Amino acid sequence: MMDLSMTSVLAAKAYKYKAESLVKEYLLADSYVSYTAVLGGILMSKMAYDITNIISSLYYKGYGSLTKTQKLEWNNRGMSTVHAVFITVMSVYLVFFSYLFSDQLDGPVTFRSSNLSDFTLGVSVGYFITDLAMIFWAYPSLGGMEYVLHHMLSVVSIVYAMYSGEGQLYTYMVLISETTTPGINLRWFLDTAGKKKSKAYLVNGVTMFVAWLVARIILFIYLFYHIYFHYDQVKQMHTFSCILIFAVPTILLVMNTMWFAKILRGLKKTLAKQQ
């Protein structure tokens, strides 16, 4: 029995060593980290979708009475909320708190990247691929062409920044705009749950207005301000990188402004009803 037990322990240690070697040499190796992150983003999205379904079934009585399409969107919004929290925290850290994109470091800020920044972008790509696939599968229940355009621009920009290592700072500045997603989703949850006249709905509307103004309007203006004062570094990048850096934020800013006008009109209606 002792020999059998010792053999089992040694075998377990051997498998553990092989597993750790596989992770270090392949999954987290510099050449594979992006692919691992994309796969991780897809798996994270699937887990978030399933967990939202389980938690909602257990703790929200009205979940069972939702239609199939409503349940699909309910779980999808839970998934997008998880991604939004993750990418917002990582983007704010990398842009404002880490030294990766600091002007105090030598070399152009437009060519800086790290394993952490590449991994984070990969996770986001995994999410956008998953969400885009769901949008096409249930089209137009989860969003129309504006959502398709938004996601396709996001995937192209993030993938290129991840593999080229160029313009990651500006990619992360744009991704900070995902901070408004939880508020948007909460508003939909409250509306679907019949809480449109509640104080929570009003507070959410005001909060979303402020968050959208800061993260999707003012921050984009700051992005162009940063590009202007670092243009000597920006023009050193490849032509396609420059096109993405100028075109994508511009298109998104136009879309954000249009959506902001809708949010403002909705907030005015909500305030009028509350009064």
Side-chain angles (χ1 to χ4, degrees):
M1 289 291 291
M2 288 292 291
D3 292 339
L4 182 61
S5 178
M6 184 61 69
T7 302
S8 300
V9 171
L10 292 174
K13 288 184 177 180
Y15 282 121
K16 181 182 178 182
Y17 175 77
K18 290 180 180 179
E20 290 177 348
S21 298
L22 176 65
V23 171
K24 291 178 181 179
E25 294 177 14
Y26 294 98
L27 296 181
L28 295 181
D30 291 350
S31 55
Y32 292 100
V33 67
S34 299
Y35 302 102
T36 303
V38 173
L39 178 61
I42 294 173
L43 293 176
M44 178 198 74
S45 300
K46 179 63 168 63
M47 287 178 61
Y49 183 94
D50 292 339
I51 291 173
T52 301
N53 180 34
I54 294 171
I55 293 176
S56 300
S57 300
L58 293 174
Y59 296 102
Y60 175 50
K61 295 180 179 179
Y63 183 77
S65 62
L66 297 177
T67 65
K68 186 177 180 180
T69 301
Q70 286 178 320
K71 286 182 180 179
L72 175 68
E73 184 167 0
W74 184 286
N75 299 334
N76 176 270
R77 287 180 180 274
M79 179 183 79
S80 68
T81 298
V82 171
H83 166 262
V85 172
F86 166 78
I87 200 62
T88 297
V89 170
M90 294 305 299
S91 297
V92 169
Y93 167 73
L94 289 168
V95 172
F96 297 110
F97 294 100
S98 74
Y99 286 98
L100 180 61
F101 302 117
S102 173
D103 286 331
Q104 297 177 1
L105 299 179
D106 295 330
V109 70
T110 50
F111 291 93
R112 294 183 197 160
S113 63
S114 66
N115 276 351
L116 179 60
S117 66
D118 289 341
F119 182 85
T120 302
L121 291 177
V123 172
S124 193
V125 169
Y127 158 74
F128 278 114
I129 290 174
T130 304
D131 199 37
L132 190 59
M134 292 186 67
I135 289 174
F136 281 126
W137 181 63
Y139 191 84
S141 300
L142 297 179
M145 285 307 300
E146 69 273 16
Y147 285 92
V148 174
L149 176 61
H150 174 274
H151 280 38
M152 291 185 71
L153 285 174
S154 299
V155 169
V156 171
S157 302
I158 297 171
V159 167
Y160 188 81
M162 179 173 60
Y163 286 110
S164 70
E166 296 184 1
Q168 288 196 5
L169 169 61
Y170 301 120
T171 302
Y172 277 114
M173 283 187 180
V174 172
L175 285 172
I176 290 175
S177 64
E178 285 295 309
T179 191
T180 60
T181 299
I184 296 170
N185 290 339
L186 178 58
R187 192 170 186 79
W188 185 89
F189 287 137
L190 291 171
D191 190 4
T192 304
K195 302 292 184 181
K196 203 168 183 178
K197 295 182 179 180
S198 65
K199 288 185 178 180
Y201 192 83
L202 176 61
V203 172
N204 171 266
V206 175
T207 304
M208 194 169 69
F209 170 82
V210 175
W212 196 283
L213 178 62
V214 174
R216 290 185 180 260
I217 304 296
I218 296 176
L219 183 61
F220 274 67
I221 295 174
Y222 172 74
L223 184 152
F224 288 114
Y225 169 85
H226 193 282
I227 290 175
Y228 175 78
F229 280 96
H230 293 78
Y231 184 69
D232 58 326
Q233 300 177 17
V234 171
K235 65 183 181 182
Q236 296 178 36
M237 297 189 301
H238 290 91
T239 303
F240 188 64
S241 297
C242 293
I243 293 174
L244 288 177
I245 283 178
F246 284 103
V248 173
T250 300
I251 294 172
L252 292 179
L253 180 58
V254 172
M255 295 173 68
N256 290 340
T257 304
M258 293 170 61
W259 285 329
F260 183 68
K262 291 182 180 181
I263 291 172
L264 182 58
R265 287 196 296 269
L267 180 61
K268 286 181 178 179
K269 289 181 181 179
T270 303
L271 289 172
K273 289 179 180 179
Q274 289 289 334
Q275 291 174 353

